[in-house]
Amino acid sequence: MEIPSAQRAAVVEKAGGPEVLDYRTEHTVPKPLAGQVLVLGWEAAGVVVALGPGAEEYNLKVGDRVIWLANAGYAEYSAVPAAKTLRLPDSLSFEDATASFMSGLTALALVKETGAGYLMTQLLKRIGAYVIGTAGGTEKVELVESLGADHVIDYRSAEGKDWVTTAMDITEGRGVDVVYDSVGQDTWEGSLAAVKRKGTIVWFGNSSGPIPPLPLRSVSTLSFHATK
């Protein structure tokens, strides 16, 4: 792919109101430095068009559709850290990816098939976590596995009906460090059972309905952090 030397970009070089926003039609296209990739895109999502030295170790290649955790998104071409760049599945649009990028991260991902679930899997793997994901059906399980999940529970299978036991078996009875639960009513009790002592549970969605008020008797023997 031929990369131009100049591009259109919105540039802010000092603090201030809207008047400091400078739209340029001949802004220099950056060259990716060590550990960077050059992305053709906008709003922090796009397509990799070049790799800087060492970027290959992040399993990225020219042509990958990606989203990234960095600024400099308001330009046609952006040189961004490969370490903060994640591949997107073909089924996820740039618009949906950028809208749900920071919806949630987890070690045990109790989510339906969403952009949040796909992205959290890659982010957790990037920081070295062991990821237990959930998905419904063989095709979706294979997709989540391709994104790096170490174990994917098919919630439509027999194993999926006893996902707490699976999580405990994987952690040798300790429980997971953190649960991110977007399902709510159907899984909140399992989340309590699967998290380790002094672990963390984040409830960030209610796709099956809201969780009820937690009765003290159900948590009196536990020790965990909870947030929404």
Side-chain angles (χ1 to χ4, degrees):
M1 178 179 182
E2 183 177 352
I3 300 172
S5 60
Q7 63 173 322
R8 295 171 297 172
V11 181
V12 177
E13 296 181 322
K14 61 182 179 180
E19 69 277 2
V20 305
L21 185 65
D22 184 12
Y23 176 71
R24 300 177 184 176
T25 58
E26 292 294 323
H27 189 65
T28 301
V29 173
K31 295 186 182 299
L33 304 176
Q36 289 187 327
V37 294
L38 184 65
V39 180
L40 171 61
W42 58 92
E43 294 283 346
V47 179
V48 175
V49 296
L51 301 176
E56 296 87 352
E57 67 181 85
Y58 295 96
N59 296 319
L60 294 170
K61 64 182 184 300
V62 172
D64 281 346
R65 300 172 66 255
V66 296
I67 192 168
W68 67 88
L69 275 169
N71 53 16
Y74 290 102
E76 292 178 281
Y77 293 86
S78 302
V80 299
K84 296 183 179 181
T85 303
L86 306 175
R87 287 185 294 111
L88 293 175
D90 291 338
S91 59
L92 188 63
S93 70
F94 290 141
E95 292 80 5
D96 288 343
T98 52
S100 61
F101 193 26
M102 294 304 293
S103 294
L105 308 174
T106 184
L108 173 57
L110 299 176
V111 296
K112 299 295 185 182
E113 292 82 2
T114 64
Y118 297 147
L119 291 169
M120 71 172 66
T121 297
Q122 295 180 81
L123 284 167
L124 285 163
K125 290 307 300 176
R126 182 60 54 83
I127 64 175
Y130 186 98
V131 181
I132 306 170
T134 58
T138 301
E139 183 177 344
K140 295 294 179 60
V141 167
E142 291 176 351
L143 172 58
V144 177
E145 287 175 339
S146 74
L147 296 175
D150 298 280
H151 188 100
V152 183
I153 300 171
D154 184 349
Y155 56 74
R156 297 177 183 172
S157 69
E159 178 193 43
K161 298 182 186 304
D162 194 14
W163 55 269
V164 173
T165 297
T166 300
M168 296 302 288
D169 287 345
I170 290 172
T171 59
E172 299 180 343
R174 295 187 303 273
V176 298
D177 295 300
V178 58
V179 179
Y180 275 75
D181 186 343
S182 74
V183 179
Q185 189 176 77
D186 290 348
T187 56
W188 72 272
E189 290 180 293
S191 294
L192 290 174
V195 73
K196 75 174 188 179
R197 180 176 174 79
K198 297 186 179 180
T200 299
I201 303 174
V202 180
W203 284 290
F204 68 101
N206 301 303
S207 62
S208 67
I211 64 172
L214 293 179
L216 286 178
R217 66 177 180 275
S218 69
V219 297
S220 60
T221 60
L222 304 176
S223 176
F224 65 95
H225 304 280
T227 185
K228 290 196 70 175

